[in-house]
């Protein structure tokens, strides 16, 4: 695969800055693809592999770190009232304007990024020509219920450790973190050891977990943040853009979690990666890149 030129810069966002990177050229006739990372509170690093689509089909691929995370402005003193869905929708719109692509673009959101992508899409922005929702819940209540169902299949000693520390409020204890990792290795990223880009995201979250802590909570299955009651299920029929839904067979985004997208987004195409959990873009990278690229090429032709 030939090397593709990338450029990094910042988009002013009010008093803040949004870091972004373009792989490929915005002069390409192909739809530029914007990649929204998950969390909320992750960084672009763990979804870095999507840049390979630029070499596959010649489109520009734009990664960015959402404000509060990674290379963008960090705001560790801001509380839950600051971290809202509206904030991140405004940031996405601002980035599209800054790049000059608001009239024609594709959007891929992974996990929380897919929730954000759906929130963006239900507003029917005319420039959104394709949407990829990757491993995303449509309802946080369903997400938590399914995460805890999966948790009940963990070894009993792991379950006991999780419950004991949650009850005592000692969720930063190393034993709790080790027990949580058993869940993560099964249902978040099954590649062990984690690839460097995945490990880098989690290291950065350990360094500053402001957004994740306020919006989600301490872990994937202990959601007590501002998103705990979030749902978009009833608004999904408003999505007009061609939509691809992807998930993994062993995903924490279980079939029940992603079902509303498949059933309520008109014409939604669903692909399940049989050897993946929550990160097909890492666990079955080549196949995932080919599926996403093929979808984008088809809907833009």
């Amino acid at each position: 695969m030939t090397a593709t030129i990338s450029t990094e810069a910042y988009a002013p966002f009010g008093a803040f800055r949004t870091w972004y990177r373009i792989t490929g050229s915005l002069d390409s006739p192909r739809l530029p693809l914007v990649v929204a990372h998950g969390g909320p509170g992750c960084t672009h690093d763990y979804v870095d592999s999507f840049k390979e689509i630029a070499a596959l089909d010649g489109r520009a691929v734009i990664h960015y770190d959402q404000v509060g995370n990674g290379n963008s402005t960090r705001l560790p003193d801001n509380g839950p009232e600051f971290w809202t869905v509206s904030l991140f929708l405004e940031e996405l719109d601002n980035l599209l304007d800054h790049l000059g692509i608001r009239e024609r673009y594709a959007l891929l959101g992974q996990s929380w990024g897919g929730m954000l992508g759906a929130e963006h899409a239900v507003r029917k922005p005319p420039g959104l020509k394709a949407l990829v929702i990757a491993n995303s819940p449509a309802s946080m209540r369903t997400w938590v219920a399914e995460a805890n169902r999966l948790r009940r299949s963990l070894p009993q000693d792991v379950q006991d450790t999780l419950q004991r520390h949650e009850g005592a409020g000692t969720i930063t204890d190393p034993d709790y973190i080790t027990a949580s990792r058993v869940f993560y290795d099964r249902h978040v990223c099954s590649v062990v050891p984690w690839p460097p880009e995945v490990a880098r995201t989690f290291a950065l979250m350990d360094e500053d977990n402001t957004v994740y802590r306020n919006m989600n909570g301490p872990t994937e299955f202990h959601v007590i943040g501002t998103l705990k009651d979030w749902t978009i299920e009833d608004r999904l029929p408003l999505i007009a853009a061609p939509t691809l839904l992807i998930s993994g067979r062993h995903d924490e985004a279980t079939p029940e979690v992603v079902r509303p997208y498949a059933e309520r987004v008109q014409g939604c195409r669903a692909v399940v990666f049989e050897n993946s959990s929550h990160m097909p873009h890492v666990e079955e990278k080549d196949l995932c890149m080919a599926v996403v690229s093929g979808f984008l090429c088809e809907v833009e032709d």
Side-chain angles (χ1 to χ4, degrees):
M1 187 176 293
T2 58
T4 304
I5 296 173
S6 66
T7 56
E8 299 181 19
Y10 291 91
F13 177 47
F16 316 126
R17 298 197 307 171
T18 301
W19 174 91
Y20 66 90
R21 184 192 66 212
I22 304 170
T23 305
S25 173
L26 290 176
D27 292 330
S28 168
R30 294 286 194 186
L31 278 173
L33 174 65
V34 178
V35 180
H37 64 70
C42 289
T43 67
H44 78 282
D45 301 83
Y46 83 99
V47 286
D48 194 59
S49 58
F50 285 111
K51 70 185 180 186
E52 296 185 11
I53 290 176
L56 275 180
D57 61 27
R59 77 183 67 250
V61 178
I62 300 106
H63 284 78
Y64 73 107
D65 282 338
Q66 295 159 25
V67 68
N69 308 293
N71 299 315
S72 294
T73 304
R74 306 270 194 99
L75 298 159
D77 296 327
N78 286 28
E81 69 286 343
F82 180 82
W83 304 106
T84 63
V85 173
S86 294
L87 171 74
F88 293 106
L89 285 172
E90 291 169 14
E91 181 186 32
L92 176 56
D93 285 342
N94 181 74
L95 180 63
L96 295 172
D97 286 336
H98 178 81
L99 295 171
I101 61 173
R102 186 191 275 267
E103 300 307 313
R104 185 176 177 272
Y105 61 96
L107 176 62
L108 182 153
Q110 200 279 333
S111 197
W112 146 255
M115 297 159 61
L116 181 65
E119 288 277 7
H120 179 77
V122 297
R123 301 183 303 170
K124 297 187 177 181
L128 179 63
K129 305 303 182 184
L131 175 66
V132 181
I133 295 175
N135 323 94
S136 304
S139 161
M140 288 302 286
R141 289 182 179 272
T142 303
W143 171 269
V144 170
E146 286 294 279
N148 281 286
R149 180 180 66 80
L150 294 174
R151 171 172 155 161
R152 289 192 292 273
S153 70
L154 298 177
Q156 190 60 51
D157 62 323
V158 173
Q159 295 186 54
D160 292 345
T161 298
L162 293 171
Q163 187 171 6
R164 182 171 66 255
H165 285 290
E166 287 167 1
T170 52
I171 56 177
T172 59
D173 186 282
D175 287 345
Y176 183 82
I177 294 169
T178 299
S180 299
R181 180 64 184 260
V182 177
F183 179 92
Y184 281 61
D185 285 345
R186 286 191 182 190
H187 301 297
V188 179
C189 182
S190 60
V191 179
V192 179
W194 285 348
E197 67 273 21
V198 176
R200 192 159 57 246
T201 282
F202 279 92
L204 287 165
M205 290 179 72
D206 287 342
E207 177 186 305
D208 182 352
N209 69 353
T210 303
V211 182
Y212 188 77
R213 182 183 71 251
N214 281 289
M215 295 186 75
N216 185 87
T219 65
E220 298 296 276
F221 41 79
H222 195 47
V223 178
I224 55 176
T226 57
L227 284 177
K228 66 182 187 298
D229 297 319
W230 177 88
T231 182
I232 200 168
E233 291 175 307
D234 292 343
R235 292 176 286 151
L236 290 176
L238 295 172
I239 295 178
T243 301
L244 171 68
L245 172 69
I246 65 177
S247 60
R249 179 61 64 193
H250 311 290
D251 205 331
E252 59 180 338
T254 65
E256 191 63 27
V257 166
V258 301
R259 188 187 316 280
Y261 293 111
E263 294 182 348
R264 301 188 187 191
V265 177
Q266 185 173 4
C268 181
R269 309 180 198 184
V271 175
V272 178
F273 291 88
E274 295 295 333
N275 299 307
S276 293
S277 60
H278 197 52
M279 298 188 187
H281 59 277
V282 171
E283 297 161 300
E284 295 179 77
K285 181 173 70 172
D286 291 346
L287 179 58
C288 184
M289 296 306 113
V291 167
V292 173
S293 173
F295 167 73
L296 295 175
C297 289
E298 180 181 343
V299 299
E300 71 185 348
D301 289 340

